[in-house]
């Protein structure tokens, strides 16, 4: 998409897609997002809309210390590693219905 991103086995866990607005983006669970936002609301905020409800989170780059940024990236990286290790979900195909 033309923006720097961070990946594990080809799967994104963080991006700089919003860097022009001063944000990095992290892929977290909704529960992780809620914890980060509750602990440091001046640094973390949900991305607006559906992406945010799924755990996508902005981090204010200018306000985040190196320690906070490292911890947040590590949490997103760990989540991606864990998800990559799980077997892929397959969609069950529906058998064609007989018409008659």
């Amino acid at each position: 998409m033309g923006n720097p991103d961070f990946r594990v086995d080809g799967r994104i866990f963080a991006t700089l897609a919003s860097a022009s607005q001063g944000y990095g983006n992290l892929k977290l669970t909704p529960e992780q997002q809620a914890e980060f936002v509750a602990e440091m609301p001046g640094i973390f905020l949900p991305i607006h809309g559906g992406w945010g409800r799924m755990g996508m989170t902005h981090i204010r780059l200018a306000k985040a210390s190196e320690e906070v940024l490292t911890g947040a990236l590590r949490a997103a990286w760990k989540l991606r590693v864990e998800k990559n290790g799980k077997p892929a979900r397959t969609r069950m195909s529906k058998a064609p219905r007989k018409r008659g």
Side-chain angles (χ1 to χ4, degrees):
M1 300 278 224
N3 297 301
D5 57 47
F6 304 86
R7 297 171 183 249
V8 173
D9 293 329
R11 306 295 298 260
I12 295 174
F13 66 90
T15 75
L16 291 174
S18 301
S20 63
Q21 292 95 24
Y23 300 119
N25 302 321
L26 303 165
K27 184 174 172 110
L28 303 171
T29 66
E31 295 79 19
Q32 287 173 315
Q33 179 191 74
E35 290 175 18
F36 276 99
V37 171
E39 190 173 323
M40 293 176 263
I43 297 174
F44 296 97
L45 67 151
I47 291 175
H48 292 290
W51 287 104
R53 287 189 296 277
M54 292 188 301
M56 294 298 292
T57 306
H58 282 312
I59 179 170
R60 289 185 173 100
L61 298 171
K63 292 187 176 189
S65 68
E66 183 176 340
E67 182 180 351
V68 168
L69 181 58
T70 300
L73 283 168
R74 189 177 311 269
W77 171 83
K78 184 177 178 188
L79 179 63
R80 181 77 266 160
V81 167
E82 290 170 358
K83 283 188 176 184
N84 284 359
K86 292 182 181 178
R89 293 192 315 184
T90 58
R91 292 184 180 155
M92 294 182 64
S93 61
K94 292 182 180 178
R97 288 192 272 170
K98 292 184 181 180
R99 295 182 184 223

